[in-house]
């Protein structure tokens, strides 16, 4: 159902109202995902499309992209939109046909939509980063660690040390119906930063695009690994063996970064300055 209009303008739904409307489709696709009937990228793609269509009924797309995100997107094993209960109704069949310029959408997949249509009212999406994120994920080029809760900074550090990036998707009524607050510890006064469930997920997608940037990708992984090697009793530095002309312990890092606990090192080294650690921890978790 469309939100009511007030003085000719569409009234924005409350998060509570939105959660009640979107929860059935989320629970349905989450069940399919847990039964391995749909992929992780389809799950997230359906989540995004559901939110957009609820917030902007019959107005969630700006039309076809000038150039598709990928010419090989048809190779992705994406679910058909018509096979997702309630999705076509939510997107509005006739509106979707009009925007994608197709007489029939029987063979249209979730990834096809991201590959072909501009998404409306996504913050900082002028470069269609959200489209790229889902399409390239479906083709195996976005190493996401899908989670249904917020990881600790140490978990984020370890994931990125192994070349993965978290994507948090909230799925319960309690999570969908409230704002999620993070304190910006690096700012004076520790300002609160609020995001709803949808914005939280989109923010994580944006971070992935930064993470896979060729100009800094390996430096980011190296930084995370270096952090986890600080004061790590399991780690033995690599040394060069001039007889074999090889490095000793060259597989060591992969095995020992799970034992990393940089917090203790920083507190000991920096005079137990907890505020400094909190600021660094925030940077680590929000890289």
């Amino acid at each position: 159902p469309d939100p009511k209009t007030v003085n000719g303008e569409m009234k924005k739904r409350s998060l509570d109202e939105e959660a009640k409307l979107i929860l059935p489709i989320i629970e349905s696709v989450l069940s399919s995902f847990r039964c391995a009937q749909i992929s992780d990228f389809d799950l997230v793609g359906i989540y995004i499309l559901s939110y957009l269509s609820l917030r902007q009924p019959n107005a969630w797309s700006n039309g076809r992209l000038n150039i598709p995100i990928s010419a090989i997107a048809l190779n992705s094993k994406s679910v058909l939109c018509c096979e997702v209960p309630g999705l076509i109704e939510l997107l509005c069949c006739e509106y979707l046909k009009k925007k994608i310029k197709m007489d029939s959408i029987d063979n249209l997949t979730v990834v096809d939509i991201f590959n072909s249509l501009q998404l409306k009212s996504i913050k900082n999406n002028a470069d269609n980063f959200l489209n790229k994120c889902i399409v390239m994920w479906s083709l195996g080029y976005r190493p996401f660690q899908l989670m249904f809760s917020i990881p600790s900074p140490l978990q984020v550090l370890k994931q990125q040390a192994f070349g993965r990036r978290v994507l948090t998707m909230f799925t319960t009524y309690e999570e969908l119906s409230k704002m999620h607050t993070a304190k910006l510890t690096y700012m004076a006064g520790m300002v609160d930063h609020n995001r709803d469930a949808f914005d939280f997920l989109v923010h994580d997608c944006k971070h992935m695009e930064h993470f896979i940037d060729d100009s800094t990708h390996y430096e980011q992984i190296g930084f995370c690994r270096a952090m986890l090697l600080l004061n790590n009793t399991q780690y033995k530095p690599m040394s060069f063996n001039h007889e074999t002309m090889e490095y000793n312990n060259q597989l060591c890092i992969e095995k020992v970064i799970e034992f990393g606990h940089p917090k203790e090192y920083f507190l000991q080294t920096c005079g137990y300055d907890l505020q400094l650690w909190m600021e660094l921890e925030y940077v680590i978790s929000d890289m």
Side-chain angles (χ1 to χ4, degrees), residues 69-96:
I69 299 298
S70 172
I72 60 171
L74 293 176
N75 294 340
S76 71
K77 294 180 173 61
S78 179
V79 67
L80 293 173
C81 294
C82 61
E83 293 180 350
V84 181
L87 181 60
I88 293 295
E89 291 78 8
L90 199 56
L91 297 176
C92 183
C93 182
E94 293 307 313
Y95 175 81
L96 182 55

Side-chain angles (χ1 to χ4, degrees), residues 56-69:
Q56 301 171 101
N58 296 331
W60 51 267
S61 171
N62 285 323
R64 290 188 70 92
L65 294 165
N66 292 330
I67 302 173
I69 299 298

Side-chain angles (χ1 to χ4, degrees), residues 18-253:
E18 208 171 55
K20 290 174 181 176
L21 290 171
I22 205 168
L23 192 59
I25 192 168
I26 290 176
E27 289 179 335
S28 174
V29 294
L30 191 59
S31 176
S32 297
F33 170 71
R34 288 172 173 158
C35 294
Q37 294 173 346
I38 66 170
S39 63
D40 46 7
F41 55 81
D42 274 331
L43 174 64
V44 173
I46 293 165
Y47 189 92
I48 292 169
L49 293 174
S50 299
Y51 261 107
L52 289 178
S53 56
L54 268 179
R55 292 183 173 181
Q56 301 171 101
N58 296 331
W60 51 267
S61 171
N62 285 323
R64 290 188 70 92
L65 294 165
N66 292 330
I67 302 173
I69 299 298
S70 172
I72 60 171
L74 293 176
N75 294 340
S76 71
K77 294 180 173 61
S78 179
V79 67
L80 293 173
C81 294
C82 61
E83 293 180 350
V84 181
L87 181 60
I88 293 295
E89 291 78 8
L90 199 56
L91 297 176
C92 183
C93 182
E94 293 307 313
Y95 175 81
L96 182 55
K97 286 180 181 178
K98 178 182 177 181
K99 288 296 179 181
I100 207 160
K101 298 180 180 179
M102 295 173 65
D103 293 330
S104 172
I105 54 174
D106 291 346
N107 296 315
L108 187 71
T109 69
V110 170
V111 170
D112 286 338
I113 293 179
F114 286 91
N115 196 47
S116 304
L117 290 182
Q118 289 182 322
L119 304 177
K120 196 173 178 181
S121 298
I122 299 290
K123 187 178 180 181
N124 299 321
N125 197 40
D127 61 351
N128 302 307
F129 83 85
L130 194 55
N131 299 68
K132 293 174 189 172
C133 197
I134 299 300
V135 172
M136 300 312 287
W137 187 4
S138 76
L139 296 172
Y141 296 112
R142 294 297 183 271
F144 273 120
Q145 179 78 43
L146 180 60
M147 298 183 68
F148 301 100
S149 60
I150 300 175
S152 69
L154 185 59
Q155 282 179 294
V156 174
L157 191 66
K158 288 181 178 179
Q159 288 166 1
Q160 295 191 174
F162 280 106
R164 301 189 297 267
R165 186 69 175 80
V166 66
L167 185 145
T168 293
M169 177 176 163
F170 295 119
T171 59
T172 68
Y173 170 77
E174 290 73 22
E175 293 167 335
L176 298 173
S177 60
K178 72 176 184 179
M179 300 295 285
H180 299 268
T181 303
K183 288 192 177 296
L184 304 184
T185 56
Y186 58 88
M187 295 181 65
M190 297 178 68
V191 178
D192 287 342
H193 192 189
N194 299 311
R195 294 190 185 93
D196 61 35
F198 176 69
D199 288 338
F200 204 102
L201 179 135
V202 171
H203 181 75
D204 277 352
C205 288
K206 186 66 174 177
H207 272 295
M208 171 57 85
E209 296 308 292
H210 292 314
F211 184 62
I212 55 87
D213 186 333
D214 287 340
S215 65
T216 59
H217 179 62
Y218 291 106
E219 286 84 351
Q220 291 181 73
I221 293 175
F223 170 80
C224 293
R225 290 188 172 193
M227 287 287 292
L228 290 168
L229 295 177
L230 292 173
N231 206 31
N232 188 324
T233 57
Q234 301 292 318
Y235 174 59
K236 296 178 181 178
M238 289 189 291
S239 59
F240 191 71
N241 187 320
H242 291 277
E243 292 183 6
T244 62
M245 299 300 288
E246 293 178 349
Y247 280 98
N248 296 323
N249 303 321
Q250 56 186 329
L251 299 178
C252 194
I253 293 178

